[in-house]
Amino acid sequence: MVVAHTILIVEDDTGARTALVKALEKSGYRVLQASNGEQALQVIAKEEVRLVLCDIKLPAMDGLEVLTRIKKLQPQIMVVMMTAFGSVEKAVKALKTGAMDFLEKPLDLEMIRSVVETALQMPLAYTQDSEGIIQEFKHTNIFEGMVGGSRVMHDIFDTIIKIANARTTVLISGETGTGKELVARAIHNNSHRSGPFIVINLAAVPDTLIESELFGHVKGAHSTAFRDRKGRLAEAEGGTLFLDEVGDIPENIQVKLLRALENRTYERLGENTSHKVDVRFIAATNINLEEAVATGKFRQDLYYRLKVLRIALPPLREHAEDIPLLAQTFLQRFCQENSRQIRKISQEVMDMLCGYRWPGNIRELEKVMETAVVMSDKDTLLPVHLAPELNKTETKNTLSIPIGTPLRDVEREMIRHTLASVGGNKTKAAEILGIGTRTLYRKIEEYGLQG
Ligand SMILES: Nc1ncnc2c1ncn2[C@@H]1O[C@H](COP(=O)(O)OP(=O)(O)OP(=O)(O)O)[C@@H](O)[C@H]1O
Ligand SMILES: [Mg+2]
């Protein structure tokens, strides 16, 4: 006999609670209820609860507090928060505290069933803390080969794990080559969505074809629509749709995308029937969408829908301490691919790599390393193997600070840039700055510069 999973509903509104209990019981689950946090904790102490659906707004102990306590007492219990539309900030905080997902009110019963089903299918081991998973990643490659030892990169890995299973839309921003697509793939691969990861690059598809590419069309809908065609949205059913360069989406399609995001429904070009789709959206942009909203190029409501969860990828020059590790990783990879045996990167080369501004970010570093490997016939990489631009232009050895900047900020920026220019090497940075290493450590701590 299959034993039904036990679900606990924590909700102070009797009407809403009863409706939820009924709906889930109808789906065959064993459902318990509590009208406040205290009661909820009593229930989980006595019963073997697998999943908790918890309202964020509760009298006395609020939902976030209940979540924190449950995760402390029984971290294996999965928690999905329920929140009023618009209070997503709290919901995002909940994800960071360990909630698996959140549902926005008014609740859609079909959506609840699908979230509950996904949660209950998850293996218990998955509920371990993200630190543990990050430690494992080196062996399992769950981050798509991404590397990074800096605090910012660590925070990004941590965020990827925490938000992977929510269905919430994610907006990834960052300059070109910072790893936006890699992060999107990593989120998908860490989720339990069984469908595919589908990409649509909105800057690459001609404006006139975007609608049909995204939503599909019926035969005859436009001059080249010779037969019915599925759109990328439908192809992503059960999986993730990656909207790359979302800032380039034409205005007339923004409304349609908004509808798809809000109701998970769409219509193919040339028909009136609407279809439901179960897709998680991840969008990426390298333009400043806030500015595009201010100048009227991008709809504000769409922007708000997209940015519920945000991941801002830093330019490489802001986490230059990762350059040595990245360079080594690429060296190994390209040596393998090109059957070379270069064992070392010379100190001069490393200094040049760490001092360069990297306008093309990690992708540019990757290319530079690839060329260097191909150019080299020694067992050590030397400056002559590097592309000429690394030897002269755009090194970031100057810092421009406007008159009137408080001295404290000048000091902080000077330390930050010096550290970046030496790849995070504190002894070297202290030497350049003419202060003791101890003083440098103290200042790093004081200004919160590095982990
Ligand atoms: N943390 C990382 N570790 C290793 N490789 C990385 C990392 N981040 C990015 N890369 C590599 O850098 C290249 C660029 O990454 P990606 O395509 O994800 O960037 P992007 O932000 O989408 O760039 P664009 O805006 O130009 O589309 C890829 O080849 C990717 O493998
Ligand atoms: Mg990209």
Side-chain angles (χ1 to χ4, degrees), residues 317 320-324 348-358 390 396 417 419-424:
R317 60 187 170 279
E321 63 269 37
D322 285 327
I323 291 175
E348 294 100 301
V349 167
M350 202 50 108
D351 288 348
M352 283 157 89
L353 296 178
C354 292
Y356 182 61
R357 238 184 135 264
W358 299 112
L390 270 112
K396 49 169 186 196
H417 281 77
L419 274 168
S421 74
V422 292

Side-chain angles (χ1 to χ4, degrees), residues 145-147 176-182 286 326 330 362-363 366:
M146 286 177 80
V147 295
T176 180
T178 45
K180 297 185 291 297
E181 181 159 348
L182 225 53
N286 56 23
L326 283 161
F330 295 139
I362 301 181
R363 181 185 291 112
E366 194 177 16

Side-chain angles (χ1 to χ4, degrees), residues 346-398:
S346 71
Q347 192 56 50
E348 294 100 301
V349 167
M350 202 50 108
D351 288 348
M352 283 157 89
L353 296 178
C354 292
Y356 182 61
R357 238 184 135 264
W358 299 112
N361 298 296
I362 301 181
R363 181 185 291 112
E364 190 183 5
L365 174 60
E366 194 177 16
K367 290 274 166 288
V368 163
M369 290 307 292
E370 184 172 14
T371 318
V373 165
V374 175
M375 301 290 285
S376 165
D377 47 7
K378 306 248 164 28
D379 73 345
T380 304
L381 275 195
L382 301 171
V384 290
H385 302 131
L386 290 188
E389 66 265 25
L390 270 112
N391 287 299
K392 41 182 187 347
T393 56
E394 286 224 84
T395 53
K396 49 169 186 196
N397 283 338
T398 52

